[in-house]
Amino acid sequence: MKRLLVATRNVTILLAVLAASLPAQSVRRVIITLRSTSADASLRAPGAPPVTGSELQGISSRLDRDLPSLQEIGRAPFAGMLFAEVAGSDLARLASDPNVASVEDDRLWAPADLEVPRLGATRFAALRPDGVRVESIPWGVTQVTAPTVWAAGNRGAGVKVAVMDSGIDGAHPDLLVVGGYNAVTQTAGDYNDDIGVCNGHGTHVAGTIAARENGVGVVGVAPEASLYAIKVFENISGSCLAYTSRQIAGLNWAVTQGVRLVNVSIGSTSLSSSYEAAIQSAASQGTFVVASAGNSGGAMLYPGFSAYAIGVGATDANNVVASWSSRGSAMGFAAPGVGINSTLPGGSYGSKSGTSMAAPHVVGVAALILAADPTLTFDGLRQRLRNGALDVDAPGFDDNTGWGLVRAANSLGGGSPPPPVPLTLAVSPGSRFLSVTVGTVAGGSNAAVTLAGDNSTTTAWTAAKRKSWTTLTTGSGTGSGTVAWSRNTAGLAVGTYVDTITVSASGVASRTVLDTLQITAAPVPLTLSVSPGNRSATAQIGTSAPSDNAVVTLAGGNAASTNWWATKKKSWTTLTTGSGTGSGTVTWSRNTTGLAVGTYVDTITVSAGGVASQRVIDTLQITAAPVAPVPLTLGVSPGSRSAAAQISTSAPSDNATVTLAGDNSTTTAWTATKRKSWTTLTTGSGTGSGTVAWSRNTAGLAVGTYVDTITVSAGGVASQRVIDTLQITAAPV
């Protein structure tokens, strides 16, 4: 039969519905489940394929002849299935064939732990101070009591386990891969974990199951189990994905090799009828699937919720179910899945979290059980797991952890429970804050109460408060929950009020939440100001002009969250910062290109909702190019000042304008001096034009006329003077 590879769509459609939804020229990748029309088909043993090998070959040849567009791309004899591509125009004929039981889309699946990323990797799990590599037992392996079973001589020897995933790094010093199959290329032995986008997923899973007890790195739950790799993932458009058909083909290979356990850390939100039939067929032939529940925190993924697979959720080191672990009524068991250290490609080790890390713990425990009793059926194995499970969540079966945490020693009729996990109480966050305006209603608040450890789900807690303005709306509970309270602002003046919510449980220290209620005054009206109101710049014709800015100040209610925007009128102005939220700065540049000598004026208008706009008048002076240097000149005006005061009374201060003109006038410094002790210079120096100012002290002066000389000097020009006359008169009679 002809072979061709092509992409697929992602929706399951059965029988003629496929054809009805597509144009005639479309091509679909499908899974075809066959059925026998032989008279003795009903006499076949339970779990046997629906068609024999010879029947499958005959039906395949006939379909190839009758449907020219049909291109076979693989088959799974153990479940009586063909994988093919077919034109939309032939789907109805294919679905109605007497030897075709169903036709289903061959869709794509992702690793079950994509939502919980790899936490990091190190070259080796542990090093002695002298640099020699040493071996450590990951906490999850201890939690499922595997070391107790090892002590009795059971390390899973003789049990074949397979990781259906991205492959396994066969060169890793901690992994002994007996063999494998590449379902993508349909070749044996090509199973290396070399797909970058899969992040070493398969190798990490493999280490948890069967990392060797060799003095290096880590140890798996069943270190002597026979480890196989089934590579189903491939890089499709930059994602780690696997077709349904690849997984069914992988199961087919596992069944033919006598593999007892297949780890499937892969998931989809919807069931595949073909996959379900394949998993059921594999279980009836002694190959059992253990699958991840998923990491959405919501409904379980498939095949985790398959009736013929064991679905696994994730717990942490305190036996508390992970918040992201998916859940549902099909949950089988829980296993460690948070911060799991295991093998990674390239001979390294690292930590990952997810139900993808939990499922291999169950596979390892199941391998130890099957090593002790290889005759167990799927139901028998599941019962053994249930017999040894530790109830870690709600009493009995629950949707979070199924029948509980798997324990190898207890399932094998020995061992003791894991060491007790101390009860802990936490309340988060440790503080809450609310601010309201005086006379308004305040909202309620809450904090998460977390009880962890043994008996945490049945331990009661109570909350207490201290202040009369606090009312507990949820003040008690059993197991983790939420403490909630309301705040009554009636009669509270402006100020800050603090209460302490104390949560207590028997046997553990109490925890508190500091609740702060801030009562603020009525809102202040919003105001907008822009400063300064005028800006100016001067540039010679043909040269660039400097940029400029003004401060935008929003004050009052909602000032920090109020938006403002600026507009300009002239083409020679460009707003470089023309909007903002809360107080800020409006900035603009000036383009002198094409402007003749003269004065140009623009208006920058700043606006905000609910307040009057504010303006900045911007003046641009274009001057002619300098013709000749202008000599520096100094002038002081007026040249004389006078004041009169009655004896023993104060005299007014005075000033004169200092004018520097010509080249460098704005950068030339000037200083002033005085001669008389009754004169005090209050502004006695400056740069560029300015003002010289002085005060007159009449203390001790008799009736008469007093004259002082204020002399202003600057480098390179003649000094200028102001004659200051002070008349002291007698007091009136």
Side-chain angles (χ1 to χ4, degrees):
M1 182 172 286
K2 302 174 286 292
R3 299 180 181 270
L4 178 65
L5 298 179
V6 61
T8 184
R9 286 179 57 180
N10 223 9
V11 184
T12 299
I13 306 177
L14 300 177
L15 305 177
V17 177
L18 285 165
S21 65
L22 293 170
Q25 69 273 19
S26 64
V27 176
R28 295 290 284 274
R29 180 169 175 154
V30 295
I31 301 171
I32 307 166
T33 302
L34 304 179
R35 63 181 165 206
S36 175
T37 56
S38 171
D40 62 352
S42 61
L43 302 177
R44 291 174 185 164
V51 294
T52 64
S54 59
E55 282 180 308
L56 185 148
Q57 182 59 46
I59 296 169
S60 173
S61 299
R62 182 179 57 76
L63 291 175
D64 184 44
R65 182 186 67 247
D66 295 345
L67 298 171
S69 71
L70 188 71
Q71 309 288 326
E72 184 180 331
I73 57 176
R75 58 179 62 177
F78 89 109
M81 296 180 185
L82 298 175
F83 314 133
E85 291 173 347
V86 63
S89 57
D90 284 335
L91 277 172
R93 289 180 60 197
L94 175 63
S96 62
D97 189 282
N99 288 118
V100 173
S102 67
V103 180
E104 184 181 44
D105 261 338
D106 188 6
R107 52 196 173 93
L108 289 168
W109 306 56
D113 73 330
L114 286 182
E115 301 88 345
V116 183
R118 170 175 164 184
L119 301 178
T122 53
R123 179 65 182 171
F124 299 108
L127 294 175
R128 290 200 324 226
D130 58 6
V132 176
R133 286 177 261 168
V134 296
E135 185 174 67
S136 66
I137 301 176
W139 74 266
V141 175
T142 302
Q143 202 82 342
V144 299
T145 67
T148 303
V149 178
W150 303 342
N154 181 354
R155 289 173 170 79
V159 179
K160 295 182 177 182
V161 297
V163 176
M164 189 154 74
D165 211 289
S166 59
I168 301 176
D169 179 7
H172 198 291
D174 229 358
L175 299 174
L176 178 60
V177 185
V178 178
Y181 176 69
N182 189 325
V184 179
T185 61
Q186 302 180 37
T187 56
D190 178 19
Y191 52 75
N192 191 41
D193 189 357
D194 56 3
I195 308 171
V197 294
C198 295
N199 295 318
H201 193 263
T203 300
H204 196 278
V205 169
T208 297
I209 297 173
R212 294 189 295 166
E213 195 176 11
N214 58 357
V216 174
V218 297
V219 185
V221 178
E224 293 183 5
S226 298
L227 181 63
Y228 292 82
I230 301 174
K231 189 172 183 177
V232 294
F233 281 121
E234 52 189 309
N235 185 336
I236 298 178
S237 300
S239 296
C240 183
L241 300 171
Y243 283 106
T244 311
S245 62
R246 309 290 198 213
Q247 298 173 69
I248 295 174
L251 282 181
N252 181 85
W253 184 85
V255 170
T256 62
Q257 299 299 312
V259 173
R260 298 303 312 275
L261 297 162
V262 179
N263 187 100
V264 182
S265 291
I266 305 172
S268 172
T269 55
S270 58
L271 178 144
S272 163
S273 60
S274 301
Y275 204 169
E276 183 76 350
I279 294 172
Q280 180 183 8
S281 180
S284 67
Q285 297 176 59
T287 299
F288 311 141
V289 170
V290 178
S292 303
N295 305 312
S296 69
M300 292 176 66
L301 298 180
Y302 183 84
F305 65 77
S306 169
Y308 305 101
I310 296 173
V312 184
T315 52
D316 63 15
N318 292 320
N319 294 339
V320 175
V321 64
S323 61
W324 37 258
S325 181
S326 297
R327 48 209 74 197
S329 59
M331 183 70 71
F333 301 94
V338 179
I340 303 303
N341 191 31
S342 185
T343 51
L344 287 171
S348 61
Y349 301 83
S351 179
K352 288 177 179 281
S353 294
T355 54
S356 285
M357 286 62 253
H361 284 87
V362 177
V363 171
V365 170
L368 297 176
I369 295 172
L370 289 173
D373 186 358
T375 66
L376 287 174
T377 63
F378 177 71
D379 289 337
L381 173 63
R382 189 158 50 183
Q383 186 61 48
R384 285 286 187 92
L385 290 169
R386 177 177 172 182
N387 292 345
L390 175 67
D391 198 348
V392 294
D393 204 74
F397 177 87
D398 63 81
D399 289 355
N400 297 333
T401 61
W403 293 107
L405 175 73
V406 294
R407 295 183 297 174
N410 302 71
S411 290
L412 289 169
S416 58
V421 179
L423 182 68
T424 60
L425 170 65
V427 180
S428 179
S431 63
R432 288 291 194 187
F433 175 84
L434 180 68
S435 179
V436 296
T437 303
V438 65
T440 61
V441 176
S445 198
N446 61 72
V449 178
T450 303
L451 281 162
D454 292 344
N455 304 316
S456 60
T457 59
T458 57
T459 298
W461 57 267
T462 57
K465 54 90 180 184
R466 298 173 56 203
K467 303 298 183 181
S468 60
W469 51 268
T470 303
T471 300
L472 292 171
T473 52
T474 303
S476 62
T478 300
S480 298
T482 302
V483 57
W485 61 93
S486 62
R487 307 174 179 100
N488 182 11
T489 61
L492 297 184
V494 172
T496 301
Y497 301 82
V498 180
D499 198 355
T500 303
I501 313 297
T502 303
V503 179
S504 305
S506 177
V508 290
S510 299
R511 295 290 183 263
T512 59
V513 181
L514 290 180
D515 185 42
T516 303
L517 174 61
Q518 185 179 62
I519 306 296
T520 61
V524 178
L526 183 68
T527 60
L528 168 66
S529 64
V530 181
S531 177
N534 295 277
R535 285 293 192 189
S536 63
T538 300
Q540 290 180 11
I541 188 168
T543 63
S544 60
S547 299
D548 222 325
N549 63 74
V551 176
V552 178
T553 302
L554 280 162
N558 303 316
S561 59
T562 298
N563 296 326
W564 59 265
W565 60 96
T567 58
K568 53 89 177 184
K569 297 171 64 178
K570 303 299 184 181
S571 60
W572 50 268
T573 303
T574 299
L575 292 170
T576 51
T577 303
S579 62
T581 301
S583 298
T585 302
V586 57
T587 63
W588 62 92
S589 62
R590 306 174 177 103
N591 182 8
T592 63
T593 304
L595 298 184
V597 173
T599 301
Y600 300 83
V601 179
D602 198 357
T603 302
I604 313 296
T605 303
V606 179
S607 305
V611 291
S613 299
Q614 301 295 311
R615 298 184 303 168
V616 179
I617 304 301
D618 186 43
T619 303
L620 173 60
Q621 183 75 36
I622 304 296
T623 62
V627 178
V630 179
L632 182 68
T633 61
L634 170 65
V636 180
S637 177
S640 62
R641 287 291 193 188
S642 63
Q646 290 179 10
I647 189 169
S648 298
T649 62
S650 60
S653 298
D654 221 327
N655 61 71
T657 300
V658 177
T659 304
L660 279 164
D663 292 343
N664 304 316
S665 60
T666 59
T667 58
T668 298
W670 57 266
T671 57
T673 59
K674 53 89 178 186
R675 297 174 59 201
K676 302 299 184 180
S677 60
W678 51 268
T679 303
T680 299
L681 292 170
T682 53
T683 302
S685 62
T687 300
S689 298
T691 301
V692 59
W694 61 92
S695 61
R696 305 175 178 102
N697 182 7
T698 63
L701 298 183
V703 173
T705 300
Y706 298 84
V707 179
D708 197 355
T709 302
I710 312 297
T711 304
V712 179
S713 305
V717 292
S719 300
Q720 300 295 313
R721 297 183 300 169
V722 180
I723 303 301
D724 184 43
T725 302
L726 174 61
Q727 182 74 38
I728 303 297
T729 61
V733 179

